[in-house]
Amino acid sequence: MGRMKKPFDLTGSVGKISIYNMRGFDEPIVRRKGGPTKKMVKNRASFETTRRNNSEFGGRAHIASLVMQILRPMKYVGDYNLAGPLTSLFIPIQVLDTVSEHGERNIELTKNPGLLTGFNLNRRTPFTNIITNPISYTLSKEKLSATVTIPELIPGANFFPQEQFTWYKFISILGVVEDVFYGARGYKTKAGYPLTPGYRVIEQTGWFNITPKSQAVTLTCSFNASPAEVIGSTEINNYSCLLAIGIAYGSMERGEVEMVKYVGGGKVLAME
């Protein structure tokens, strides 16, 4: 993948070159067209390893999409495309499956859920650069509940918001991520369907004005249901709990505070 430097500023196709913009990159991305056709990859023996790699990539993409669905309420807090980096994070989890053949290895996040802890939704303004104090939390996989406590905030001491914004709020998400297994129809969860709409719980504060000192705030997220009710079966225990925290900025528009897109900070606070 190449990047085009200024003063050139164009997108589209030029001969065998494609030029396009991608959120999270300041410069246009440059790629060369070409390569083997889909038919060649699907049928030729020389592409057997490629087919196996593609199959496993599909499994990682599937579980990454489950995580992204949970984090969707924080979409406008992030400042780059999460799909690629998130999919890559599942490679070391997939290789933990030493029983299945290459091309059919499962992605069991329950074997190492902590791998996602600390995953940032931002490159320019990571959450830990905005609030430098540790965030206290509780998380119970058995009870499907969590709390997040934001400490007292003092601008310039433990709170470093972007200067152009005077309003902010906190968002907390508790979600359920199922392990993904290979089967006759490709990669799926044991339940066989996405946990919609019961796969996440969202809690958020109202808008706060940036003041010399703010009080501590606690957010509580709970499914108010048993894991069997959420998963849909008493026999399934292949799930992990994801707890995320984010800060969004707002601006006053027509007498109301509206969220400003693609600024703020968010991260996966904890996994269990």
Side-chain angles (χ1 to χ4, degrees):
M1 179 178 69
R3 300 186 192 178
M4 178 172 287
K5 299 288 186 180
K6 294 181 179 180
F8 302 102
D9 188 12
L10 59 95
T11 58
S13 297
V14 180
K16 294 185 177 181
I17 299 295
S18 293
I19 307 167
Y20 57 94
N21 294 315
M22 181 181 294
R23 186 160 61 89
F25 292 89
D26 296 326
E27 300 158 349
I29 305 300
V30 181
R31 287 188 184 276
R32 183 185 296 274
K33 297 180 182 178
T37 64
K38 290 183 179 179
K39 185 176 181 180
M40 291 167 60
V41 173
K42 183 178 179 180
N43 297 308
R44 290 192 179 181
S46 57
F47 287 98
E48 174 66 23
T49 300
T50 301
R51 288 192 290 272
R52 292 176 183 268
N53 290 337
N54 288 348
S55 172
E56 294 198 343
F57 173 83
R60 296 193 300 273
H62 183 76
I63 194 169
S65 72
L66 300 181
V67 174
M68 291 175 66
Q69 286 177 29
I70 292 171
L71 297 174
R72 188 172 181 81
M74 291 188 188
K75 176 182 178 181
Y76 295 126
V77 169
D79 60 18
Y80 73 104
N81 189 338
L82 305 179
L86 192 55
T87 300
S88 297
L89 270 180
F90 290 104
I91 294 176
I93 292 179
Q94 193 165 40
V95 299
L96 292 176
D97 182 356
T98 57
V99 177
S100 304
E101 293 184 5
H102 177 209
E104 301 178 359
R105 290 179 292 186
N106 303 316
I107 307 102
E108 297 177 74
L109 182 57
T110 49
K111 290 184 176 180
N112 189 5
L115 193 67
L116 291 185
T117 299
F119 180 77
N120 265 300
L121 280 63
N122 304 77
R123 286 175 171 164
R124 296 188 180 93
T125 56
F127 186 88
T128 50
N129 286 4
I130 300 172
I131 298 177
T132 55
N133 277 86
I135 303 299
S136 300
Y137 69 89
T138 64
L139 175 59
S140 173
K141 177 179 175 179
E142 291 72 25
K143 296 180 180 179
L144 292 181
S145 63
T147 63
V148 178
T149 299
I150 311 296
E152 293 183 347
L153 298 178
I154 301 175
N158 64 348
F159 185 31
F160 298 89
Q162 292 178 244
E163 294 181 355
Q164 64 267 43
F165 305 114
T166 57
W167 297 90
Y168 67 97
K169 71 176 180 179
F170 294 106
I171 306 168
S172 181
I173 302 174
L174 174 64
V176 171
V177 186
E178 286 190 89
D179 293 342
V180 171
F181 299 88
Y182 184 85
R185 297 185 178 182
Y187 282 94
K188 286 187 177 183
T189 63
K190 285 287 187 181
Y193 53 85
L195 302 178
T196 307
Y199 57 85
R200 70 182 176 211
V201 177
I202 309 160
E203 188 67 30
Q204 54 188 318
T205 66
W207 289 104
F208 298 122
N209 192 248
I210 295 176
T211 59
K213 182 178 180 180
S214 64
Q215 297 299 312
V217 176
T218 297
L219 296 170
T220 301
C221 296
S222 178
F223 279 84
N224 294 317
S226 68
E229 290 173 308
V230 174
I231 302 295
S233 171
T234 58
E235 299 179 358
I236 296 176
N237 192 36
N238 305 106
Y239 71 94
S240 303
C241 279
L242 180 153
L243 179 62
I245 183 65
I247 181 172
Y249 295 119
S251 63
M252 187 67 73
E253 303 288 343
R254 298 178 295 277
E256 294 185 359
V257 181
E258 295 186 4
M259 182 186 293
V260 180
K261 295 181 179 180
Y262 307 126
V263 293
K267 69 173 185 176
V268 176
L269 183 60
M271 294 286 304
E272 183 174 301

